[in-house]
């Protein structure tokens, strides 16, 4: 099984993905984390999936509040991805110095993002080390003329949009 897991890891390194930050809020606490395990699965109803590592602060907030928001990052936002990817301790405020906004659920979205999705949890599927959340999109907005931040083969990439 470990051999297949490692082969899958190698294969997926060669698959370019967009970079996003998933955030949530519960009571007076908010937190977020960088993800690339995000996909649209249905337009009617509007559903997306995201996978979060178990027992992280973001996972705890999404589990408690049953809501999350997604900021899809633009090519010039690598620093935001790094900030929310765990390069600072989990207990620190990752939002410090950043502007945020909200849509429907109250979960924070990062100003300057390329696009936003605001979701409620429709279903959660526990996995051994993570949880797959199916989110129903309650609001969406995008400034899609800006190129996205991509991740490929352990590094950030940019796509030429001309």
């Amino acid at each position: 099984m470990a051999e297949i897991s490692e082969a899958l890891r190698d294969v997926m390194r060669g698959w370019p993905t967009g970079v996003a930050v998933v955030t949530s809020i519960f009571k007076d606490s908010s937190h977020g984390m960088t993800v690339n395990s995000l996909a649209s699965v249905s337009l009617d109803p509007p559903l997306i999936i995201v996978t979060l590592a178990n027992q992280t602060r973001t996972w705890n907030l999404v589990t408690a509040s049953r809501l999350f928001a997604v900021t899809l990052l633009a090519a010039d936002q690598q620093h935001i991805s790094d900030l929310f990817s765990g390069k600072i301790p989990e207990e620190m405020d990752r939002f410090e110095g950043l502007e945020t906004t909200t849509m429907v659920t109250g979960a924070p979205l990062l100003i300057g993002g390329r696009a936003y999705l605001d979701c409620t949890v429709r279903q959660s599927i526990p996995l051994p080390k993570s949880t797959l959340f199916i989110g129903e999109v309650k609001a969406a907005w995008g400034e899609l003329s800006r190129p996205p931040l991509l991740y490929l083969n352990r590094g950030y990439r940019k796509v030429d949009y001309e």
Side-chain angles (χ1 to χ4, degrees):
M1 189 66 116
E3 195 172 299
I4 294 172
S5 293
E6 199 55 41
L8 175 61
R9 182 185 317 252
D10 288 343
V11 167
M12 295 311 293
R13 278 187 195 123
W15 181 252
T17 61
V19 182
V21 173
V22 172
T23 56
S24 191
I25 189 167
F26 184 69
K27 297 184 180 177
D28 292 334
S29 184
S30 60
H31 200 62
M33 62 192 295
T34 301
V35 301
N36 61 4
S37 59
L38 170 75
S40 170
V41 293
S42 173
L43 296 177
D44 187 16
L47 301 175
I48 64 168
I49 56 170
V50 64
T51 305
L52 302 177
N54 292 338
Q55 306 307 316
T56 59
R57 278 181 64 191
T58 306
W59 178 90
N60 285 327
L61 292 173
V62 172
T63 300
S65 67
R66 307 295 292 166
L67 58 90
F68 63 91
V70 179
T71 302
L72 301 178
L73 299 181
D76 62 353
Q77 292 184 298
Q78 180 178 334
H79 65 288
I80 301 288
S81 175
D82 288 342
L83 180 65
F84 283 85
S85 69
K87 296 193 191 243
I88 66 168
E90 178 79 5
E91 64 277 356
M92 294 185 69
D93 181 4
R94 294 179 176 175
F95 295 99
E96 186 175 334
L98 300 177
E99 291 184 68
T100 62
T101 189
T102 60
M103 292 172 96
V104 175
T105 68
L109 293 154
L110 302 167
I111 295 288
R114 181 175 189 269
Y116 305 115
L117 303 167
D118 199 14
C119 306
T120 57
V121 174
R122 184 117 184 234
Q123 186 177 352
S124 57
I125 301 168
L127 302 168
K129 295 183 180 181
S130 60
T131 300
L132 177 88
F133 291 97
I134 300 173
E136 184 169 349
V137 179
K138 298 298 183 179
W141 177 90
E143 186 183 328
L144 303 178
S145 62
R146 295 174 57 210
L149 181 61
L150 300 178
Y151 198 76
L152 172 67
N153 197 21
R154 296 183 180 183
Y156 294 107
R157 306 288 187 246
K158 297 176 184 175
V159 63
D160 185 6
Y161 238 49
E162 295 182 24

